[in-house]
Amino acid sequence: MGKLTPYIISENARSQAEFYIQTLGGEILSLMTHEQSMGAQHESKDKVMHLSMVVSGENSIFMADVFDEPFTNGSSVSLSIAYSTESEASEAFVKLAAGGKVKYPIEMQPFGLFFGELTDKYGVRWMITTEPKANE
C-alpha cells in the first residue's frame, strides 16, 4: 500500500509554505535546496527541491520551486505516493504511465530515493517513490 501526499509546485515554495502555516497552523518539517541535495552550483542552487510540512493537525503537504517548465499559479499540483517496496512503486508507475507521458523514469536518484515522475492520460501529475532501505 502507498501513502498519498499532495505535492505543490510553486514560484516561491518557502513563502507559500509560510502562508499556509500562518493561515492553517502547522510547521515546516524539512527543506532542501538543489545545492544541498545534489551539489548544484548554478543560478537555481537556492531553489527549493523538496519541502515537507504539516498543516491543520497532521495533514502532510510537500512543495518545491518550479524548476524546468512554464508555470501558471494554481495549476502545478502533483500527487506523490510513497510505496513500501521498489516493486510496488515500479508496478504503480508503469500502470499510471500507460497512455500518459513520463517526465522522469523511475530509478534511483542522486538525492537518495527511488523516484519517477509522470503525467497520466488525464493530465494528472504523479511522483512515485520508495526509500532504498525498503527495496526488495
Side-chain angles (χ1 to χ4, degrees):
M1 289 292 220
K3 179 182 176 194
L4 179 66
T5 306
Y7 208 113
I8 300 171
I9 308 303
S10 174
E11 285 184 302
N12 187 332
R14 287 180 180 100
S15 176
Q16 191 169 350
E18 287 297 332
F19 170 75
Y20 293 145
I21 288 166
Q22 290 172 11
T23 58
L24 302 172
E27 67 178 311
I28 293 174
L29 302 175
S30 66
L31 187 153
M32 183 178 298
T33 65
H34 285 270
E35 180 180 33
Q36 291 169 316
S37 71
M38 299 185 355
Q41 293 298 312
H42 48 68
E43 66 279 353
S44 298
K45 70 179 185 174
D46 294 325
K47 285 189 170 237
V48 174
M49 181 171 189
H50 182 74
L51 181 150
S52 173
M53 67 179 173
V54 292
V55 296
S56 283
E58 296 187 26
N59 299 293
S60 294
I61 297 177
F62 295 156
M63 296 185 75
D65 286 329
V66 66
F67 186 68
D68 63 354
E69 54 191 65
F71 181 77
T72 303
N73 280 324
S75 67
S76 293
V77 174
S78 295
L79 300 178
S80 176
I81 300 181
Y83 283 92
S84 299
T85 67
E86 185 178 320
S87 62
E88 285 180 308
S90 293
E91 182 179 348
F93 188 88
V94 168
K95 288 178 179 178
L96 282 169
K101 182 178 178 187
V102 172
K103 182 174 180 182
Y104 299 114
I106 191 160
E107 59 190 15
M108 183 56 66
Q109 299 297 324
F111 46 85
L113 284 178
F114 189 70
F115 171 89
E117 185 174 342
L118 63 96
T119 301
D120 70 21
K121 65 182 180 180
Y122 299 103
V124 175
R125 290 172 37 165
W126 294 89
M127 292 181 271
I128 307 298
T129 67
T130 189
E131 297 277 340
K133 66 182 181 216
N135 292 343
E136 299 169 67

